[in-house]
């Protein structure tokens, strides 16, 4: 089943896989990439007459992919954290991952914090009351890590089966990626689990520590409709990037519908992430592109209106 929402194509990359996007205070988009010789961090102004991706900075050969993005000040003025490392098949070389602190004003990496003994850092979020504290998703290990960007200390905040891939899905063709997208909203931490096909929330305190039990809000209707990253609108509806062609909407009371794409609709080529526009009236979707095509087709940025 497919659904058509008002959408506008903003930009397509020639070949790069777009992993994540974040809307800056001025409305410009910040994007991380994968499947390249070195990780690239771009900005893209969706309001420009002819939007073009601009390279903020690239990384050395020890960083072939970038994943999560989080602002490091309450207003996201300059410093942003991005995670990255040496990418392998659905994971990273263990011990290669770090959090990189990037200055958008100077276009430089001003610091890096190694995150040892992890094979994946995926979604990432700063805590609203303590924005120097980052939460990041260890998709392979089934953990949520806490990273203090002031002390450079890395802790395991939560390790639970609800965070990891399901061992029963190991031979089903579903990627072994557990917790993926991660967002903090109100008193709750929300996350998707790609392998298990769940959207989950857990109550946390101001330092991110769990003070409740995980609560499953939605389940994918099909094991091969794989949840990735997501965002919320101002009414609390969640919009999930779903591989290979859809955006799902989940209401606060758990009603799930196809919001855009799906079925034979080919507007999205492997959606990876969703972000709410600053005016709250639309969402931006990033995609990975079509790597089976010859020549391969890079990731897209598409804007979808939330109401007509």
């Amino acid at each position: 089943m497919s659904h058509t929402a008002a959408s506008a194509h903003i930009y397509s990359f020639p070949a790069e896989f777009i992993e994540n996007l974040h809307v800056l205070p001025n409305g410009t988009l910040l994007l991380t990439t994968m499947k390249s010789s070195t990780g690239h961090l771009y900005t893209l102004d969706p309001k420009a007459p002819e939007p073009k991706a601009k390279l903020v900075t690239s990384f050395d050969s020890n960083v072939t992919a970038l994943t999560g993005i989080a602002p490091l000040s309450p207003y996201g003025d300059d410093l942003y954290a991005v995670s990255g490392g040496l990418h392998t098949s659905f994971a990273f070389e263990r011990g290669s991952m770090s959090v990189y602190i990037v200055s958008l004003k100077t276009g430089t990496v001003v610091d890096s914090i190694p995150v040892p003994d992890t094979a994946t850092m995926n979604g990432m979020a700063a805590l609203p009351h303590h924005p120097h504290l980052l939460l990041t998703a260890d998709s392979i290990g089934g953990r949520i890590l806490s990273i203090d960007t002031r002390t450079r200390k890395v802790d395991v905040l939560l390790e639970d089966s609800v965070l990891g891939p399901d061992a029963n899905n190991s031979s089903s063709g579903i990627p072994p990626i557990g917790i993926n997208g991660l967002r903090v909203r109100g008193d709750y931490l929300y996350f998707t689990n790609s392998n298990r096909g769940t959207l989950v929330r857990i109550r946390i305190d101001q330092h991110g520590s769990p003070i409740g039990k995980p609560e499953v809000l939605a389940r994918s209707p099909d094991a091969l409709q794989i949840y990735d990253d997501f965002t919320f609108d101002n009414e609390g509806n969640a919009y999930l990037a779903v591989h290979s062609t859809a955006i799902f909407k989940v209401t606060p009371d758990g009603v799930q519908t196809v919001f855009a794409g799906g079925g034979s609709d080919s507007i999205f080529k492997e959606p990876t992430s969703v972000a709410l526009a600053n005016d709250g009236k639309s969402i931006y979707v990033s995609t990975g592109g079509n790597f089976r095509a010859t020549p391969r087709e890079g990731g897209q940025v598409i804007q979808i209106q939330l109401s007509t």
Side-chain angles (χ1 to χ4, degrees):
M1 180 179 180
S2 63
H3 177 81
T4 302
S7 63
H9 176 270
I10 302 297
Y11 186 77
S12 286
F13 283 77
E16 291 197 80
F17 183 108
I18 307 305
E19 168 63 12
N20 212 330
L21 81 164
H22 177 87
V23 183
L24 301 177
N26 65 1
T28 297
L29 307 181
L30 188 63
L31 305 111
T32 56
T33 69
M34 301 179 75
K35 298 183 183 292
S36 52
S37 56
T38 62
H40 293 151
L41 184 67
Y42 291 100
T43 56
L44 179 71
D45 182 359
K47 303 298 184 184
E50 295 184 11
K52 294 186 181 299
K54 297 180 179 179
L55 183 67
V56 175
T57 189
S58 57
F59 296 74
D60 62 30
S61 58
N62 292 319
V63 183
T64 57
L66 302 174
T67 53
I69 307 171
L72 285 180
S73 70
Y75 305 106
D77 293 327
D78 179 34
L79 295 181
Y80 282 78
V82 297
S83 50
L86 279 170
H87 190 247
T88 60
S89 177
F90 298 112
F92 287 77
E93 184 176 307
R94 187 170 294 275
S96 74
M97 299 214 74
S98 294
V99 169
Y100 297 91
I101 311 303
V102 178
S103 166
L104 299 188
K105 291 181 181 178
T106 63
T108 58
V109 177
V110 298
D111 197 6
S112 63
I113 303 171
V115 182
D117 194 31
T118 182
T120 299
M121 292 164 61
N122 209 321
M124 186 162 59
L127 290 171
H129 297 286
H130 303 282
H132 66 286
L133 294 177
L134 303 176
L135 305 184
T136 184
D138 178 355
S139 302
I140 304 300
R143 305 180 299 173
I144 296 174
L145 306 178
S146 172
I147 302 169
D148 189 323
T149 58
R150 292 177 179 171
T151 66
R152 305 168 65 84
K153 186 179 181 183
V154 179
D155 292 310
V156 177
L157 193 68
L158 179 64
E159 187 169 7
D160 191 283
S161 60
V162 74
L163 303 173
D166 186 344
N168 294 325
N169 289 336
S170 60
S171 61
S172 63
I174 304 172
I177 298 172
I179 180 172
N180 193 325
L182 184 152
R183 305 281 179 180
V184 176
R185 179 179 171 83
D187 296 329
Y188 289 89
L189 172 67
Y190 294 78
F191 60 87
T192 52
N193 185 314
S194 296
N195 187 268
R196 292 179 182 270
T198 52
L199 172 65
V200 183
R201 75 174 184 177
I202 185 169
R203 191 178 181 90
I204 60 173
D205 65 19
Q206 292 187 357
H207 290 87
S209 297
I211 54 176
K213 295 182 178 180
E215 175 187 0
V216 176
L217 302 177
R219 295 183 184 274
S220 174
D222 187 304
L224 295 180
Q225 291 180 307
I226 300 170
Y227 290 171
D228 204 316
D229 209 344
F230 63 101
T231 194
F232 290 97
D233 66 17
N234 294 331
E235 285 70 50
N237 299 297
Y239 298 86
L240 286 68
V242 181
H243 294 274
S244 290
T245 62
I247 303 298
F248 285 3
K249 177 180 178 180
V250 179
T251 65
D253 56 356
V255 177
Q256 180 172 235
T257 55
V258 178
F259 180 71
S264 60
D265 193 331
S266 60
I267 182 174
F268 304 112
K269 299 171 183 176
E270 302 294 346
T272 56
S273 187
V274 189
L276 182 69
N278 289 339
D279 63 7
K281 297 179 180 180
S282 64
I283 55 175
Y284 295 103
V285 177
S286 62
T287 77
N290 184 354
F291 280 75
R292 299 178 183 89
T294 304
R296 72 183 190 181
E297 300 171 1
Q300 312 154 286
V301 177
I302 295 170
Q303 185 176 19
I304 307 173
Q305 299 301 317
L306 296 184
S307 60
T308 56

